[in-house]
C-alpha cells in the first residue's frame, strides 16, 4: 500500500510496516470523523473520552511531524491511501479536538451527551481552548441556546462573559446591529456582556467595539426615561468590569457622574423619579459612589467632575 515510503520521526527511520501502522491510526480517526451517526444516544462516556483522546494524540502527532519537517510527506501518503476527500482530511486535521467537539455538538444525541463532552474536554484540554473552540463553532451550531445552556454549567462566570462577549462582537462585526435598540430593551446579562465587550482591545473587533461605545454614549446622552432599565443594570455590573469601563472610557464616565448628580438632586429634594431617566435609592447611590471611588484614579476624576454639577462636596464625601 505504501511500499518504498520512508519517514523520519523522533529520530528513527520508519520503514513501510511502521508507516502503515502509523497511517492506520490516522485513518481510524478520519473514519470516526466521517461517521455521520457518531455520537448517538447509545454512545458511552468511555467512547466519548476515547474519541477525544484519539483527537489529542492526533494533534500531538501532527505537531511532532511538523517539528521533524516531514508533515508534507506524511500528509501526501495519507491522502493517497485514503478514500476520504482531501478537503475532509484537511478539516479533520486542522484542529482534531475541535472537530470531535463539533461532532458532539451537532449530533442528534441527548443533551447530557453534550454535557459529558464538555466535561471530558475540560479534563483533557484547557478552559481557554474550550472557550476558543466554542466561540468559533457557535455561529455554526444548530442550537445556540442549547450550547450556551450547557456551557454555563462548565465554565466560571468570567469565562462565560468573555465567551458571550466574543459572540456578540462577531455578530456586530457582521451585521452592525442597532446597539441603542438593544439597550432600550435590555437585561442584566446583556449589559454585562456589552460592558465586557467594550473592554476588548483585539483589533479584529475594533469596529464592533466602537459600535457599542457609540450606542452607550447615545443612550447616556439622551437622558430618556426609556433608558432607566439600562442605568439600573449598568450600576449592577460586577465592580471590576464597571470600574475598568469607566477608566477606559472617560467620556462615558463623565456622563455617569452627571447622572449620579441628577439622581442625588431628586433624592435631596424628595422628588419622584417615576418619569425620570434614572432611579436609585440613597443606599444604591452610595454603593455606586463607593464602587467608583475604590479606584484612586476614578476617585480623583469623580470629584473633579462633581464640582461642575454640585457645590456640596461634603454630601459626596460623606458617602465614603
Amino acid at each position: 500500500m505504501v511500499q518504498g515510503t520512508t519517514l523520519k520521526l523522533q529520530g528513527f527511520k520508519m520503514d513501510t510496516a511502521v508507516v502503515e501502522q502509523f497511517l492506520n491510526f490516522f485513518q481510524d480517526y478520519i473514519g470516526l470523523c466521517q461517521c455521520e451517526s457518531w455520537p448517538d444516544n447509545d454512545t458511552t462516556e468511555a467512547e466519548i473520552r476515547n474519541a477525544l483522546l484519539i483527537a489529542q494524540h492526533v494533534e500531538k502527532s501532527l505537531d511532532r511531524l511538523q517539528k521533524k519537517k516531514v508533515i508534507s510527506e506524511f500528509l501526501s501518503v495519507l491522502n493517497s491511501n485514503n478514500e476520504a476527500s482531501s478537503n475532509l482530511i484537511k478539516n479533520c486535521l486542522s484542529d482534531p479536538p475541535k472537530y470531535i467537539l463539533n461532532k458532539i455538538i451537532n449530533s442528534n444525541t441527548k443533551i447530557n451527551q453534550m454535557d459529558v463532552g464538555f466535561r471530558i474536554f475540560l479534563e483533557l484540554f484547557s478552559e481557554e481552548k474550550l472557550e476558543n473552540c466554542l466561540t468559533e463553532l457557535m455561529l455554526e451550531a444548530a442550537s445556540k441556546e442549547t450550547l450556551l445552556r450547557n456551557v454555563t454549567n462548565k465554565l466560571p462566570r468570567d469565562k462565560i462573559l468573555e465567551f458571550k462577549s466574543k459572540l456578540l462582537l462577531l455578530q456586530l462585526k457582521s451585521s452592525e446591529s442597532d446597539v441603542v435598540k438593544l439597550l432600550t430593551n435590555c437585561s442584566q446579562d446583556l449589559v454585562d456582556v456589552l460592558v465586557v465587550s467594550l473592554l476588548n482591545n483585539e483589533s479584529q473587533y475594533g469596529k464592533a467595539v466602537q459600535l457599542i461605545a457609540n450606542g452607550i454614549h447615545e443612550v447616556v446622552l439622551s437622558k430618556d426615561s426609556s433608558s432607566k432599565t439600562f442605568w439600573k443594570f449598568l450600576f449592577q455590573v460586577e465592580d471590576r468590569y464597571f470600574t475598568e469601563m469607566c477608566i477606559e472610557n472617560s467620556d462615558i464616565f463623565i456622563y455617569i457622574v452627571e447622572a449620579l448628580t441628577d439622581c442625588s438632586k431628586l433624592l435631596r429634594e424628595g422628588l419622584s423619579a417615576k418619569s425620570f431617566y434614572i432611579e436609585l435609592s440613597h443606599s444604591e447611590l452610595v454603593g455606586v459612589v463607593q464602587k467608583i471611588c475604590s479606584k484612586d484614579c476614578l476617585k480623583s476624576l469623580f470629584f473633579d467632575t462633581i464640582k461642575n454639577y454640585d457645590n456640596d462636596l461634603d454630601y459626596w464625601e460623606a458617602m465614603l
Side-chain angles (χ1 to χ4, degrees):
M1 180 171 64
V2 286
Q3 189 172 4
T5 300
T6 59
L7 290 174
K8 287 185 178 180
L9 184 63
Q10 295 180 320
F12 296 94
K13 194 171 184 178
M14 298 173 63
D15 60 16
T16 300
V18 178
V19 172
E20 286 183 358
Q21 185 179 19
F22 198 61
L23 285 171
N24 286 338
F25 178 79
F26 272 73
Q27 288 171 333
D28 287 343
Y29 165 70
I30 292 170
L32 177 63
C33 294
Q34 286 181 286
C35 184
E36 295 181 1
S37 61
W38 189 93
D40 58 26
N41 287 332
D42 295 323
T43 301
T44 66
E45 179 173 335
E47 289 170 333
I48 292 175
R49 180 181 295 277
N50 188 53
L52 286 168
L53 282 169
I54 290 172
Q56 184 184 54
H57 184 64
V58 168
E59 183 178 48
K60 290 179 178 178
S61 297
L62 288 169
D63 185 56
R64 288 197 295 270
L65 288 166
Q66 185 72 49
K67 289 178 179 177
K68 294 294 181 181
K69 299 181 180 180
V70 294
I71 186 70
S72 296
E73 183 181 0
F74 177 79
L75 292 179
S76 177
V77 174
L78 181 64
N79 276 289
S80 65
N81 290 278
N82 200 296
E83 295 180 358
S85 69
S86 58
N87 281 338
L88 174 64
I89 293 175
K90 182 179 179 181
N91 290 335
C92 290
L93 300 182
S94 63
D95 189 338
K98 173 186 166 185
Y99 197 93
I100 295 300
L101 185 66
N102 191 33
K103 282 185 67 66
I104 296 171
I105 290 171
N106 287 323
S107 68
N108 293 320
T109 189
K110 295 177 289 188
I111 294 298
N112 67 325
Q113 299 282 52
M114 192 187 301
D115 190 61
V116 168
F118 289 149
R119 175 167 52 78
I120 295 173
F121 194 99
L122 278 172
E123 290 175 13
L124 298 177
F125 306 100
S126 65
E127 288 182 358
E128 182 180 5
K129 184 168 181 64
L130 177 59
E131 179 191 350
N132 290 337
C133 286
L134 291 175
T135 299
E136 294 170 10
L137 293 172
M138 175 57 79
L139 297 179
E140 306 166 11
S143 174
K144 296 181 182 180
E145 293 77 14
T146 298
L147 183 52
L148 280 172
R149 185 167 59 250
N150 282 273
V151 171
T152 54
N153 295 327
K154 296 300 166 190
L155 294 177
R157 176 167 168 73
D158 60 336
K159 292 293 183 182
I160 293 298
L161 284 175
E162 290 174 18
F163 172 53
K164 290 183 176 180
S165 166
K166 286 190 176 180
L167 294 178
L168 177 63
L169 290 170
L170 282 170
Q171 291 171 354
L172 290 176
K173 182 180 177 182
S174 60
S175 65
E176 295 192 9
S177 303
D178 188 343
V179 175
V180 174
K181 187 177 291 185
L182 288 175
L183 292 174
T184 301
N185 187 26
C186 60
S187 63
Q188 182 67 62
D189 186 62
L190 176 60
V191 175
D192 289 342
V193 172
L194 283 167
V195 169
V196 172
S197 300
L198 193 59
L199 301 175
N200 190 297
N201 56 12
E202 296 177 66
S203 58
Q204 61 178 315
Y205 299 124
K207 187 176 180 180
V209 171
Q210 191 58 53
L211 282 173
I212 294 173
N214 293 344
I216 292 177
H217 197 267
E218 185 174 337
V219 169
V220 298
L221 265 176
S222 70
K223 295 190 175 184
D224 190 277
S225 60
S226 63
S227 64
K228 184 180 290 188
T229 302
F230 163 74
W231 282 105
K232 173 186 175 183
F233 291 141
L234 179 65
F235 292 135
Q236 292 175 0
V237 169
E238 188 177 334
D239 290 11
R240 60 174 172 145
Y241 295 124
F242 178 80
T243 53
E244 188 176 348
M245 178 201 69
C246 293
I247 292 170
E248 297 294 330
N249 298 270
S250 58
D251 53 340
I252 293 176
F253 177 63
I254 289 172
Y255 288 109
I256 288 175
V257 176
E258 182 179 351
L260 293 175
T261 59
D262 287 344
C263 182
S264 74
K265 290 173 185 176
L266 287 182
L267 291 171
R268 282 182 280 185
E269 295 173 15
L271 300 176
S272 171
K274 185 176 181 180
S275 58
F276 204 51
Y277 75 96
I278 182 172
E279 182 174 5
L280 293 173
S281 66
H282 179 72
S283 61
E284 289 171 333
L285 177 62
V286 170
V288 175
V289 172
Q290 290 179 345
K291 180 190 297 190
I292 290 171
C293 293
S294 66
K295 299 291 184 181
D296 289 340
C297 58
L298 284 180
K299 181 179 179 181
S300 176
L301 182 56
F302 175 78
F303 279 100
D304 285 344
T305 308
I306 282 288
K307 294 174 185 176
N308 297 323
Y309 302 101
D310 192 342
N311 293 323
D312 189 1
L313 294 183
D314 291 341
Y315 173 82
W316 299 97
E317 290 174 348
M319 296 183 185
L320 304 182

